[in-house]
Amino acid sequence: PSAANSGNLYKVVKIGVSDPSSTTFVTEDRYYIVVDKIINWDGSRTVRKGAIGLTPQDQLVGYQWIIKFTPALTGNYEYVRECAGRGLCDADSGLCECFTGYTNDNCDLQSSLAV
């Protein structure tokens, strides 16, 4: 096996800064990262800057964990998508909301009635 078949979770396509919006003073919304796959995140999870040691302390910022991952040069891994890629994960409860035709706790079972 080589690094060529190890795969990647997400590839960063672009990192950017937009012009300030009418809500930037209250919620920092200028900075963004574009990746090559869809991420199930709408930007609604926020925290006050002061809680993470930044200023201005009352300004809200969106947050999402981003982990740099470098595949091993040997072996492979299998990336398993949240909700098998057939539903949306409710981050608060950890439960999947399956798309029509799919069921099970991780949406990996297709209903034969929906085919």
Side-chain angles (χ1 to χ4, degrees):
S2 68
N5 66 5
S6 293
N8 292 314
L9 296 177
Y10 298 100
K11 182 177 181 182
V12 175
V13 176
K14 182 177 182 179
I15 298 175
V17 180
S18 298
D19 292 331
S21 72
S22 61
T23 61
T24 298
F25 181 74
V26 176
T27 303
E28 177 59 79
D29 57 1
R30 296 175 293 166
Y31 304 100
Y32 63 91
I33 297 175
V34 178
V35 294
D36 63 341
K37 296 182 182 98
I38 295 171
I39 295 178
N40 184 16
W41 182 66
D42 65 359
S44 62
R45 184 177 292 177
T46 59
V47 64
R48 296 206 178 278
K49 278 188 171 180
I52 54 176
L54 300 174
T55 57
Q57 292 187 349
D58 288 336
Q59 188 181 34
L60 295 172
V61 291
Y63 71 94
Q64 177 68 27
W65 287 102
I66 298 176
I67 300 169
K68 182 178 178 181
F69 175 77
T70 305
L73 295 177
T74 59
N76 272 331
Y77 66 90
E78 180 182 343
Y79 173 64
V80 180
R81 295 175 58 187
E82 286 181 345
C83 303
R86 298 174 180 143
L88 299 175
C89 179
D90 179 343
D92 293 330
S93 68
L95 300 175
C96 291
E97 201 174 306
C98 301
F99 299 142
T100 303
Y102 296 96
T103 186
N104 209 3
D105 62 345
N106 65 346
C107 304
D108 67 342
L109 186 62
Q110 186 175 22
S111 171
S112 59
L113 299 175
V115 179

